[in-house]
Amino acid sequence: MFRTFLLTGVTAALVSFAAFADSSHHAVSDDVIARQRAALAAATQGKGFGPQSPRDIGMMTGSNHRVFGTAPDVSKMTLCDIHFHENAEHKGGSYTTFAGNGDGYGFGTGFKYDGKLTEAELAPIGMAVGASEHGDLEPGDTIEIHFVYSTAQASLGNGLGTCLSDAVNNPQLRVEAVVAVLVSEGGADFARMAEISEVDGLNQVPGLPTDLGDPVIYAGSTTGPGYNEKGSPFQVTWSVRPDVVKLGIASVDTWLKDNPFDEGHAHGVRNLVTNPDLLSPIN
């Protein structure tokens, strides 16, 4: 979870391996990733950090026993943020193809859709979608969408602060994760999927997919590459769908150009957390 809005101090978090990462965004070596994992282990050992994310949702084991209550159903919470990462942060289900080590800063890594697409679905669209210094989105790309909910009196906006409250310092957080593959022809309408309605005073997303397999629910944390070398202190109940939805890439472009979260591009991903000491057991 959570993209740039959860990456307070991202620059500082990455300084210690800056000498090893390629500033031109070429793929870094396995040694760089190993150093990042070692730094994360050292920074969290004996400090009492709770379970971390993202993880392989097919692996049920974990030895982190920091306990916190499972967040309520989304119908009892209010939506406070929607954003997405290029490539899936989690691994499992229909997205287990490793994208590579990436640039060491969260771009070019993560996991891709395992299936095949037709020529029509992969046809060029003649426009840049979500362009940033890290490139843009194209048909065939995988994204992981995070629908973030809070028990606080939260508002819609950009940043984790919109999910928190001065009145309640420890709200419960839940992320409903949807992995999608972008297609140029057909596919669901992302703008419609992400449409927000107010129900009983709470922001809700009626179009949240319910046909992507039984979600894997587990205790974890916020994500994003700013936590590659340090632990996230935020406790999050995750609900991760194992199947992939096809999304019309033009509808993603439409949403990026007009959304209440000031989102204009995809965000980077945190290294997959594999250290058992940083993973919760999944029931």
Side-chain angles (χ1 to χ4, degrees):
M1 163 179 139
F2 281 101
R3 55 165 204 348
T4 302
F5 83 92
L6 295 173
L7 304 187
T8 302
V10 60
T11 302
L14 298 173
V15 164
S16 62
F17 72 88
F20 305 107
D22 187 339
S23 61
S24 65
H25 307 308
H26 294 162
V28 298
S29 69
D30 291 346
D31 287 343
V32 171
I33 305 303
R35 290 186 183 102
Q36 292 177 341
R37 294 190 189 282
L40 175 61
T44 55
Q45 185 174 13
K47 301 294 178 58
F49 278 90
Q52 301 289 295
S53 300
R55 67 180 295 163
D56 183 337
I57 59 172
M59 186 175 69
M60 303 291 106
T61 58
S63 55
N64 187 293
H65 296 292
R66 296 279 77 75
V67 176
F68 59 92
T70 301
D73 183 84
V74 293
S75 63
K76 305 298 183 183
M77 307 178 74
T78 193
L79 179 93
C80 51
D81 186 81
I82 300 173
H83 64 271
F84 59 80
H85 302 254
E86 184 170 4
N87 296 324
E89 288 201 292
H90 288 85
K91 174 187 178 182
S94 301
Y95 40 94
T96 63
T97 301
F98 185 47
N101 289 338
D103 64 358
Y105 296 92
F107 294 92
T109 187
F111 296 88
K112 295 178 174 291
Y113 171 54
D114 298 330
K116 295 182 178 181
L117 301 174
T118 67
E119 290 186 8
E121 290 173 326
L122 292 171
I125 57 173
M127 64 178 182
V129 177
S132 73
E133 62 181 303
H134 302 286
D136 56 9
L137 296 172
E138 300 177 349
D141 284 346
T142 299
I143 62 174
E144 180 172 321
I145 310 160
H146 293 164
F147 297 84
V148 188
Y149 294 79
S150 173
T151 55
Q153 187 172 307
S155 58
L156 300 176
N158 183 277
L160 179 59
T162 64
C163 301
L164 307 177
S165 167
D166 290 338
V168 179
N169 286 330
N170 61 338
Q172 290 177 289
L173 300 172
R174 173 184 282 271
V175 179
E176 297 289 326
V178 174
V179 176
V181 61
L182 306 181
V183 295
S184 54
E185 179 178 278
D189 185 330
F190 182 49
R192 181 172 296 177
M193 178 188 296
E195 188 173 355
I196 301 165
S197 299
E198 186 174 308
V199 180
D200 296 330
L202 301 174
N203 298 321
Q204 296 292 311
V205 182
L208 195 66
T210 58
D211 58 351
L212 300 178
D214 293 332
V216 175
I217 299 173
Y218 77 93
S221 71
T222 58
T223 64
Y227 292 116
N228 278 345
E229 294 192 352
K230 65 178 182 179
S232 166
F234 297 97
Q235 297 176 330
V236 178
T237 296
W238 281 88
S239 179
V240 186
R241 291 151 180 77
D243 296 336
V244 170
V245 62
K246 293 180 179 180
L247 278 184
I249 191 169
S251 71
V252 174
D253 181 67
T254 297
W255 185 84
L256 286 172
K257 290 176 177 176
D258 183 21
N259 65 82
F261 310 105
D262 196 28
E263 289 291 331
H265 56 82
H267 296 266
V269 307
R270 185 185 190 183
N271 293 338
L272 196 73
V273 178
T274 58
N275 183 348
D277 291 340
L278 294 176
L279 295 174
S280 63
I282 299 177
N283 295 325

